[in-house]
Amino acid sequence: MAEAPRMPIESGVPDPIQYMHPTMRRNYGQWAYHDRPRAGVLHHTSKNNEEIFTVRCGTARQMDVYTIKKLADIADEYADGYVRFTMRSNVEFMVADGSKVDALVSALTEAGFPVGGTGPSVTMISHTQGWLHCDIPGTDASGVVKSLMDEMHEEFTREEMPNRVHMTTSCCQINCGGQGDIALNIQHTKPPKINHDLVSMVCERPTVVARCPVAAIRPAMVNGKPTLEVDEKKCICCGACFPPCPPMQINDPENSKIALWIGGKNSNARSKPSFHKLVASNLPNNPPRWPEVGAVVKNILSVYKEDARDWERVGEWVDRIGWPAFFEKTGLPFTKFHINDWKGARHELNSSAHIRF
């Protein structure tokens, strides 16, 4: 008799304890220290003198059933059968016996899964849904990640950066823009093109009007049909109108560009959290390999790797050398668009969680 399907849980995520390795459950909250025997391998020792090794490998975010089964088979044969998927599309295998680590690393490498992403390395790039799942993407975030990591995977398998480098890619600038040491984000540079024949049949016009953050959309009549119009002097080309009203097409192969931001940081280590800042805009949204974007990212990483001090994150490195030196060292052009001239901008935003007396 087939097992009845599990009922959905409506009160949050499932209890993670039940999926933990037994060694982790026994020593929960009792870890004394950890170290990194090699790139991609974490070694934790508990106050009870028990050990556990975590081997991290990189994968694509979208995986077929064959790939998932392959990872599960490796876990059963070479590890202890326990895995976890991280938010950066990594898979971590837990083993309590250190003698299994080398065989596990070899099996993952031979199967095409690079082992790394720990310590001062380029971690796997977190990304949004892209063309595969999202209904409003301006670019394919997962495709950009694939292209970049094809060229930078060696920095994932080595720990040769001054500090960890967290990178993010986002399909649009209204829903999924993420902070990161290096962040890629699509920017629409032209107002939406409106298909007036479809608006009345597809869109709930009051909802679309309310969705605009700068009140640039208003009801209109075109050819006797109720529709919408955009005040282009107010429009900031954010694309917020496109999700509730697809006939207001904002994507444009010529005028939707990729922008590159650096210096975002969520941690409190050494310095307070910080927002990333624009360093390159108007980069071509050029699938399937986005070579122009890759060239700029690799250039910044190369200069950072050579010039930053140990433990400096990208933003901390720039704070030390100054923005003029950053643009000089990287050769990126500095334009008027890098200056925040909005009257409401704060000179400094205290986003620190530090407590000082």
Side-chain angles (χ1 to χ4, degrees):
M1 181 177 178
E3 183 178 354
R6 176 181 65 81
M7 293 301 293
I9 298 173
E10 303 294 346
S11 58
V13 298
D15 177 15
I17 302 294
Q18 60 184 315
Y19 302 116
M20 285 186 181
H21 191 285
T23 302
M24 297 177 69
R25 290 201 296 267
R26 286 195 302 271
N27 296 279
Y28 190 82
Q30 299 295 318
W31 300 104
Y33 65 91
H34 76 275
D35 58 285
R36 302 192 308 275
R38 53 161 290 175
V41 178
L42 302 173
H43 169 226
H44 286 77
T45 302
S46 76
K47 297 176 183 178
N48 302 317
N49 292 323
E50 288 195 89
E51 298 177 315
I52 191 166
F53 294 83
T54 303
V55 178
R56 179 183 298 173
C57 73
T59 69
R61 181 172 179 177
Q62 285 97 10
M63 291 187 287
D64 55 32
V65 174
Y66 171 82
T67 302
I68 296 174
K69 286 184 175 180
K70 181 67 175 178
L71 290 166
D73 290 342
I74 292 174
D76 288 336
E77 182 175 356
Y78 296 96
D80 296 340
Y82 289 85
V83 299
R84 83 178 190 99
F85 291 80
T86 75
M87 66 174 291
R88 289 188 170 270
S89 307
N90 297 317
V91 178
E92 294 185 343
F93 298 77
M94 279 70 72
V95 294
D97 184 356
S99 63
K100 294 183 177 181
V101 170
D102 289 341
L104 174 58
V105 171
S106 298
L108 289 169
T109 303
E110 291 173 4
F113 303 104
V115 174
T118 54
S121 63
V122 174
T123 61
M124 283 291 292
I125 306 173
S126 63
H127 64 87
T128 52
Q129 300 293 341
W131 290 331
L132 187 61
H133 287 301
C134 186
D135 61 340
I136 60 168
T139 188
D140 186 34
S142 55
V144 177
V145 169
K146 165 65 174 171
S147 302
L148 288 174
M149 291 308 292
D150 277 352
E151 300 186 47
M152 300 189 302
H153 72 277
E154 290 184 353
E155 296 294 352
F156 175 81
T157 60
R158 301 188 300 228
E159 296 182 344
E160 297 178 353
M161 285 287 167
N163 202 336
R164 67 182 70 241
V165 178
H166 286 164
M167 299 176 61
T168 68
T169 63
S170 303
C171 309
C172 70
Q173 57 186 348
I174 61 170
N175 284 345
C176 297
Q179 294 290 322
D181 292 295
I182 299 178
L184 303 172
N185 195 0
I186 196 75
Q187 288 185 329
H188 305 295
T189 61
K190 297 290 184 180
K193 296 179 181 178
I194 306 175
N195 186 332
H196 296 289
D197 294 331
L198 296 179
V199 169
S200 62
M201 295 185 292
V202 176
C203 311
E204 185 178 345
R205 294 190 300 159
T207 301
V208 184
V209 171
R211 181 74 178 263
C212 181
V214 292
I217 301 175
R218 52 183 175 246
M221 296 290 292
V222 175
N223 298 327
K225 296 181 179 180
T227 182
L228 298 164
E229 64 181 5
V230 175
D231 184 345
E232 296 190 1
K233 292 182 179 180
K234 291 183 178 180
C235 180
I236 58 174
C237 308
C238 67
C241 55
F242 176 59
C245 190
M248 299 187 71
Q249 181 58 249
I250 190 70
N251 291 325
D252 188 311
E254 295 297 325
N255 299 302
S256 292
K257 303 292 187 176
I258 290 180
L260 196 150
W261 308 64
I262 71 166
K265 186 168 80 76
N266 296 316
S267 75
N268 261 337
R270 297 166 309 281
S271 63
K272 67 181 182 180
S274 62
F275 290 120
H276 55 208
K277 299 174 178 64
L278 179 70
V279 296
S281 61
N282 218 36
L283 300 175
N285 183 19
N286 190 10
R289 302 300 299 178
W290 292 270
E292 299 85 357
V293 175
V296 177
V297 171
K298 289 191 294 182
N299 175 34
I300 292 175
L301 282 176
S302 175
V303 178
Y304 164 69
K305 183 177 181 180
E306 181 69 25
D307 193 63
R309 297 172 180 170
D310 289 345
W311 301 106
E312 280 185 331
R313 295 282 289 270
V314 172
E316 295 167 338
W317 162 60
V318 175
D319 287 341
R320 176 174 61 83
I321 66 174
W323 285 104
F326 167 82
F327 283 98
E328 180 181 346
K329 290 175 181 292
T330 59
L332 295 173
F334 183 85
T335 70
K336 64 180 182 180
F337 299 108
H338 291 101
I339 301 174
N340 186 0
D341 58 358
W342 179 48
K343 293 181 179 179
R346 301 179 183 180
H347 177 62
E348 289 184 353
L349 180 64
N350 181 14
S351 56
S352 174
H354 282 108
I355 299 176
R356 304 185 184 280
F357 298 95

